[in-house]
Amino acid sequence: MTRLKTRSEIRFILNGEDVALGTVAPDETLLDWLRLERTLRGTKEGCAEGDCGACTVLVGRLSAGRLVYESVNACIRFLGSLDGTHVVTVEHLPGDGDRLHPVQQAMVDFHGSQCGFCTPGFVMSLYALWMRSPEPSDAAIERALQGNLCRCTGYEAIVRAARAISTYGKAATDPLAAERKAIAEKLAAMKDGARIEIGAGKQRLVVPADADDLAAVLDKEPGATIVAGSTDVGLWVTKHMRDIGPAIFIGNLDGLCAVSEDKGIISIGAGVTYTEAFSILAKRIPALGPLFDRIGGDQVRNMGTIGGNIANGSPIGDTPPPLIALGARLTLRRGNKRRAIPLKDFFIAYGKQDRQQGEFVEAVHVPVPGSDTKFAVYKITKRRDEDITAALGAFLLTLAGDGTVADICIAYGGMAATPKRAAAVEEALLGKPWTEATVETAMAEYAKDFTPLTDMRASAEYRALAARNLLLRFFAETSGTKAPIQISRHEAA
């Protein structure tokens, strides 16, 4: 039996420099390391929760053998997740003679910066966009900037700058493009198949060699914190000062990053990011496309994983309700043993899931809706983009030939302690004609399914009313009629 190789340092490239770190705390963020250890202070700390984008950098990684550069939030990205990557900060953008880099020059000439604090983050987000799409549409520009906040400019100047970048230079001849082959070869050489182990006790950090090694590590350390995209775990550290050690980093791990489809089932590895899953899900299940566009900004979508969103068990996670409505199943793994369960059965109570010690989510399997079904998902937030869900409803409907409800699945987030089906509402609809009268009668059953709470995002009354109205909206969209939307007594006054 071949003994697994191990090493005691993480290796990556920072701008143009090879880096090897043998002392890394599990909770050390890329932002702190850049500013405090490398004095690269163009990367700013604004919110420290992955919301404002002032800390945006690019991280290049090999994906399916191809080098991909993505914008990420350095404030919630841990050093332990960077092995085998190329980190690019704003200081690495080269100019041409007396001119700045094309992205920077466009921002100057079109007055895209005022106080300047957020500017490096905007520059890096626009750099990532320009490299993959030199002539972007306005919609693409707005999407790329969802994760960057500015209190000064009103954004229009920044959008004008984004439109003009290619008049200052060509993305194909940018140094980052020119050196892509050399960087890819370096990163491939760093991928030596070894497990990384640094520190001991609470300061222990592990990067498994692959999914099989992850199973072995968890078998010995079942209480360790699994860190995938860190879009939530990062806030445990920066906002709640929680101790996450020992930590196991699983981002970009072989065996967890595959997406495939077989016989109408899309299988998504637990390490697949929202960005990676978007193309197949938006194509095969179009209603998921607009939802994924509203999950954080590009930085969050490039880091966050569907498997992590499920395993975290948050009652306001965006992916569980639609995946429950679609009839998704999970593969859970402990050591060499696997078991499959319906996703709806995974969530037991607040903070509690059907996952044993040492067991992890390995993949989620999502059925593609048939042509005879109707599927929709609606997200309610205070602002449209980059906001946390107040309530989210997902609906899958199959009608019989006579227009009655043959099957229906309704799932909500933000309405209970876990993502949850509206079982009483479903029962009230089954076998009934799909009519406005049927729907309005069924709406009374919501009180049996949910007792929502009041918090900073919405009141209990608002959530209850919104949930009922989402069913009316689904009926209106699937029947071609205009269903009246109910309002509260307060709104009516």
Side-chain angles (χ1 to χ4, degrees):
M1 182 177 179
T2 304
R3 184 176 179 180
L4 181 72
K5 294 189 297 182
T6 62
R7 56 180 158 94
S8 57
E9 62 183 20
I10 62 170
R11 303 169 185 167
F12 60 95
I13 304 170
L14 172 64
N15 295 327
E17 174 192 355
D18 292 350
V19 174
L21 299 177
T23 303
V24 181
D27 58 358
E28 187 171 4
T29 65
L30 173 57
L31 174 65
D32 284 348
W33 183 78
L34 288 173
R35 293 181 60 83
L36 302 177
E37 301 297 327
R38 291 305 176 104
T39 63
L40 294 173
R41 291 172 182 152
T43 308
K44 308 296 185 183
E45 178 173 332
C47 64
E49 59 184 33
D51 194 42
C52 76
C55 67
T56 301
V57 299
L58 302 191
V59 171
R61 61 187 178 91
L62 293 175
S63 176
R66 186 170 64 95
L67 179 56
V68 177
Y69 284 95
E70 298 170 320
S71 57
V72 305
N73 294 121
C75 68
I76 54 172
R77 182 71 180 251
F78 295 112
L79 275 182
S81 71
L82 294 174
D83 191 67
T85 67
H86 181 201
V87 178
V88 181
T89 71
V90 70
E91 289 87 354
H92 194 54
L93 272 63
D96 182 10
D98 294 333
R99 295 179 69 85
L100 296 168
H101 185 275
V103 180
Q104 295 168 315
Q105 194 66 54
M107 286 285 282
V108 170
D109 290 351
F110 286 85
H111 307 286
S113 177
Q114 288 190 30
C115 83
F117 189 87
C118 67
T119 301
F122 273 94
V123 166
M124 296 309 289
S125 290
L126 290 178
Y127 188 27
L129 172 65
W130 182 61
M131 290 295 290
R132 69 176 181 265
S133 180
E135 302 290 344
S137 65
D138 284 358
I141 293 169
E142 291 174 4
R143 188 175 188 273
L145 297 181
Q146 283 174 323
N148 293 81
L149 303 181
C150 176
R151 63 176 295 175
C152 302
T153 68
Y155 300 97
E156 183 57 37
I158 298 172
V159 172
R160 286 197 298 267
R163 295 183 190 127
I165 295 170
S166 285
T167 65
Y168 293 87
K170 302 300 179 186
T173 60
D174 187 83
L176 200 62
E179 67 184 12
R180 188 171 292 245
K181 182 178 178 182
I183 294 293
E185 289 173 351
K186 276 191 172 184
L187 297 186
M190 290 179 182
K191 204 172 180 64
D192 58 1
R195 177 196 295 173
I196 301 168
E197 298 180 341
I198 299 175
K202 286 289 187 179
Q203 292 299 302
R204 179 168 160 77
L205 176 160
V206 180
V207 183
D210 52 28
D212 290 340
D213 189 36
L214 168 62
V217 171
L218 277 177
D219 204 36
K220 293 182 179 179
E221 297 192 60
T225 302
I226 300 176
V227 183
S230 70
T231 56
D232 200 45
V233 176
L235 273 68
W236 296 0
V237 172
T238 63
K239 295 300 180 182
H240 304 292
M241 310 303 171
R242 284 175 55 178
D243 185 356
I244 63 168
I248 302 173
F249 292 89
I250 67 169
N252 208 29
L253 205 64
D254 287 347
L256 293 182
C257 293
V259 182
S260 62
E261 181 178 351
D262 182 47
K263 298 178 181 178
I265 304 291
I266 300 173
S267 294
I268 304 168
V272 174
T273 66
Y274 298 117
T275 298
E276 290 170 323
F278 178 84
S279 58
I280 187 170
L281 289 177
K283 179 181 179 181
R284 298 293 285 126
I285 311 174
L288 291 179
L291 173 66
F292 273 49
D293 271 343
R294 294 180 61 196
I295 296 176
D298 260 5
Q299 297 93 322
V300 168
R301 294 188 289 263
N302 291 336
M303 290 170 56
T305 67
I306 296 175
N309 197 229
I310 291 169
N312 191 38
S314 170
I316 52 173
D318 285 327
T319 61
L323 297 184
I324 288 172
L326 290 165
R329 297 180 65 83
L330 291 182
T331 296
L332 300 173
R333 179 174 177 180
R334 181 182 182 186
N336 291 322
K337 296 181 179 179
R338 294 176 173 86
R339 64 187 178 103
I341 64 169
L343 177 58
K344 66 180 180 63
D345 295 337
F346 180 66
F347 306 103
I348 298 173
Y350 183 76
K352 184 178 181 182
Q353 297 86 46
D354 181 8
R355 188 171 70 244
Q356 302 167 7
Q357 282 282 304
E359 193 172 44
F360 64 95
V361 175
E362 187 173 47
V364 57
H365 311 280
V366 187
V368 176
S371 58
D372 60 337
T373 62
K374 303 176 187 296
F375 173 67
V377 54
Y378 311 111
K379 176 174 175 171
I380 305 295
T381 55
K382 284 189 172 183
R383 65 175 187 251
R384 187 189 184 282
D385 291 325
E386 205 192 10
D387 202 3
I388 296 173
T389 291
L392 187 149
F395 306 82
L396 183 70
L397 169 70
T398 303
L399 294 177
D402 61 358
T404 58
V405 178
D407 194 19
I408 189 164
C409 185
I410 303 172
Y412 280 89
M415 294 291 292
T418 66
K420 184 173 179 284
R421 285 180 65 169
V425 177
E426 292 173 0
E427 183 63 28
L429 293 169
L430 278 172
K432 305 295 195 307
W434 185 238
T435 64
E436 185 178 327
T438 298
V439 170
E440 289 184 344
T441 299
M443 286 168 64
E445 302 299 301
Y446 273 98
K448 297 179 182 177
D449 286 318
F450 303 110
T451 306
L453 55 76
T454 293
D455 61 16
M456 63 182 292
R457 297 184 185 93
S459 66
E461 180 188 13
Y462 178 85
R463 283 188 163 104
L465 182 62
R468 296 195 300 270
N469 279 334
L470 289 184
L471 177 59
L472 271 179
R473 175 179 175 178
F474 180 64
F475 167 74
E477 292 182 354
T478 55
S479 64
T481 63
K482 292 184 178 180
I485 302 299
Q486 294 184 0
I487 60 175
S488 68
R489 290 188 300 273
H490 174 72
E491 291 170 316

